[in-house]
Amino acid sequence: MALLEVDNLRTYFYTREGAVQAVDGVSFAVEEGRTLGIVGESGCGKSVTALSIMGLIPRPPAKIVEGSVLFDGRDLTKLAERELEDIRGKEIAMIFQDPMTSLNPTFKIGTQITETLRRHFDITKGAARQRAIELLEEVGIPNAPGRLDDYPHQFSGGMRQRVMIAIALSCKPRLLIADEPTTALDVTIQAQILDLLQRLREERRMALIIITHDMGVIAEASDEVAVMYAGQIVEQAPVLELFDQPEHPYTEALMGALPQLEGTGIREGRLTAIPGRPPDLVDPPEGCRFAARCPYVGLDSCATQPQALREVRQGHLVRSSHPTTERGRSREPVTM
Amino acid sequence: MVVNPREAATLEPQTSAPPLLETAGAPIRQTSLWRDAYRRYLRNKGAVAAAVLFGIIVLYCFLIPGFWFIPGIWTTLFDIDPNQVNFLETYLPPSLEHPFGTDQFGRDLFTRVAKGGQVSIGIGFAATIAILVIGVTYGSISGFIGGKLDNAMMRFLDALYGLPYLPFAILALAVIGTVSFWTMVVALTIASWFTAARIVRGQVITLKENDYVRAAHAVGARWHRVLTRHILPNTLGVLVIAVFLELPAVVLGEAFLSFIGLGINPPDASWGSLASEGRQSYQTHPLELWIPCIFIATLVLCANFIADGLRDALDPRTRET
């Protein structure tokens, strides 16, 4: 059994306009020591999925209406808040997008690390401090003992993200959820942080979920990829498989929107954008949610028929009635 | 976009501070929020002057007549008891021994005004602190829990807001019955804790949405820990400002109550009761009314200037352009 099994998770936000179906039937599993990348555009439900796993969705207005989150055999959606608090930070940790605002400006970073340690373990202040120094060294902060008494504003963005990672790792979690861990950072720092996460995952045999909208991050960091669109997973495959043979028209279009650095046809013409906007999740369309923006929408009745996630190849799931390989090789150029 | 890991690796050494830099000049002075605020405050001349004047008034009030076990300068120097009636020395004009003259009963006004100041300032600070304690408790519960409870608590506050301030304080005094220093504090607190509660609630609601509060939840912090460690310390700046905004209102309230005879009663003095006594002989000896009034006005003005300076220093973004 996998460490984390999310099954048919539905998280709705109850607003004045109606129930926003932010996460609508998401299922995936993450094995120990593996990395799952969740990719999708803004508002597709990536972060809400992560927050639902942690039990951190704002209630009200949000509510998990269906589904289960099995972590090590326990259903997190059924636990009481107190039991969840004991799991958070200790078994499942999370790092957030913006390191500039994720640290409390009024406390020294040493305090913020030791507090987390002392919350979950019965250790002395001195031992916690020692452990904090080790953690800072582990995430690559130079002069760790000296920096323990610095305030967050004395750190750069990349260093703060390292501190966030140190805090997240302090209690040796078995699952780490990184919600856009590199979005707010410079490209060079991004690569460092991703390398750090990879290294730590291997050393500690953690499971890792990386949430991002950056295909580059996905290619770099994950073993398995789930592409989300409008609250659903539209395609799920091992990372190489996905990049070699994207099946869903949405994934295809995402790839088409990436700038090419090598190969034929580089620097020719404009990058292709996907026209239109994602559907309103208060009242999502009956059929395929991508239909309104899909160039292949006329092929069959997919716009009105609900689409199920099905396996086109071993380990490659797709939610489309006409994935690339079944359209034949007559793959039209994606002109939109 | 992602950079080739090899390139990233070559960049890595740069982040570990080269020892060269440490010797290349004086170490950077560490700065903190409070030191920054202090520097910004000093730049505001009006606020500095107000703080100095405020300090002088407080020192005058406490050192001249003495308080608790500390002997007063003036009372020991000239052997004066501020409450001692002496009918041979009524309405003396200002002199070295009596810089403010004496009143209708021959009591020295210099020490008496200082003694009254102790009461006025003491009530001011005590009530302000009580207001903040209640305000922080009420406001943080309301803001932190939110939802229906927040709604109910705020509507209750709205209802209290509808009651006019001073009649409410008078009513509170009437209900308590006796009048003393502490009953004045209670009455003024009851009548004016609403604004502080509102301010704190607003702050808590803003801070509650902060990333580091989410991050604290994500590492398993319990709610009381999140509130006391992550939210309330961040409201401190606003609270410090609130002290100096609340203080003049309370001092004025106390002066008013004492002036109309509902507050501190003779022979004890407060600035309000001194002004009330001075009013009786205003036609012949205007000084007796003017002095306590000037003290009240100066203290209130100073507190407002200080609050202004503190706001600019602690929260530079809200400064008016």
Side-chain angles (χ1 to χ4, degrees), chain B residues 119-284:
Chain B
V119 173
S120 284
I121 294 172
I123 288 176
F125 272 105
T128 302
I129 288 165
I131 285 167
L132 287 187
V133 169
I134 296 175
V136 166
T137 315
Y138 194 92
S140 58
I141 289 173
S142 176
F144 192 71
I145 295 174
K148 289 198 182 86
L149 184 77
D150 179 38
N151 229 327
M153 287 174 89
M154 281 303 118
R155 294 302 78 77
F156 175 64
L157 215 58
D158 285 345
L160 291 182
Y161 248 112
L163 300 168
Y165 165 66
L166 280 168
F168 195 34
I170 293 167
L171 209 68
L173 270 181
V175 170
I176 298 166
T178 57
V179 171
S180 73
F181 183 93
W182 291 110
T183 55
M184 289 289 289
V185 170
V186 171
L188 288 165
T189 305
I190 290 174
S192 53
W193 59 274
F194 326 125
T195 312
R198 281 227 163 144
I199 293 173
V200 173
R201 171 184 171 266
Q203 281 285 312
V204 168
I205 285 179
T206 324
L207 292 167
K208 197 167 70 161
E209 303 296 323
N210 257 325
D211 280 350
Y212 57 80
V213 174
R214 265 205 310 163
H217 280 297
V219 295
R222 300 223 192 274
W223 70 268
H224 48 88
R225 188 141 199 104
V226 173
L227 183 61
T228 54
R229 290 288 277 171
H230 294 279
I231 293 182
L232 289 184
N234 280 298
T235 65
L236 207 61
V238 177
L239 290 184
V240 171
I241 299 163
V243 167
F244 282 91
L245 281 177
E246 208 60 71
L247 184 70
V250 174
V251 168
L252 272 182
E254 184 277 329
F256 175 79
L257 288 178
S258 297
F259 186 79
I260 61 172
L262 285 165
I264 302 297
N265 290 323
D268 290 331
S270 82
W271 286 342
S273 68
L274 284 171
S276 176
E277 280 171 27
R279 190 182 56 96
Q280 291 160 15
S281 53
Y282 173 64
Q283 300 281 331
T284 49

Side-chain angles (χ1 to χ4, degrees), chain A residues 89-120:
Chain A
K90 185 148 187 275
E91 312 258 353
I92 308 177
M94 188 164 179
I95 49 182
F96 294 96
Q97 174 174 351
D98 192 354
M100 304 310 274
T101 56
S102 296
L103 288 163
N104 189 336
T106 51
F107 293 116
K108 293 169 182 168
I109 62 133
T111 316
Q112 304 195 35
I113 301 174
T114 49
E115 270 209 342
T116 309
L117 279 166
R118 285 163 62 83
R119 160 69 180 84
H120 291 292

Side-chain angles (χ1 to χ4, degrees), chain B residues 80 86 88-95 97-110 112 281 285 287-288:
Chain B
I80 292 171
N86 183 350
L88 298 174
E89 295 185 344
T90 56
Y91 294 129
L92 286 184
S95 64
E97 195 185 343
H98 306 291
F100 292 164
T102 56
D103 68 0
Q104 57 190 358
F105 300 113
R107 295 175 292 203
D108 172 49
L109 277 176
F110 191 60
R112 217 169 142 66
S281 53
H285 302 89
L287 205 62
E288 210 187 321

Side-chain angles (χ1 to χ4, degrees), chain B residues 73-85:
Chain B
I73 296 172
W74 224 256
T75 43
T76 43
L77 210 61
F78 296 99
D79 193 24
I80 292 171
D81 178 356
N83 288 348
Q84 180 61 51
V85 177

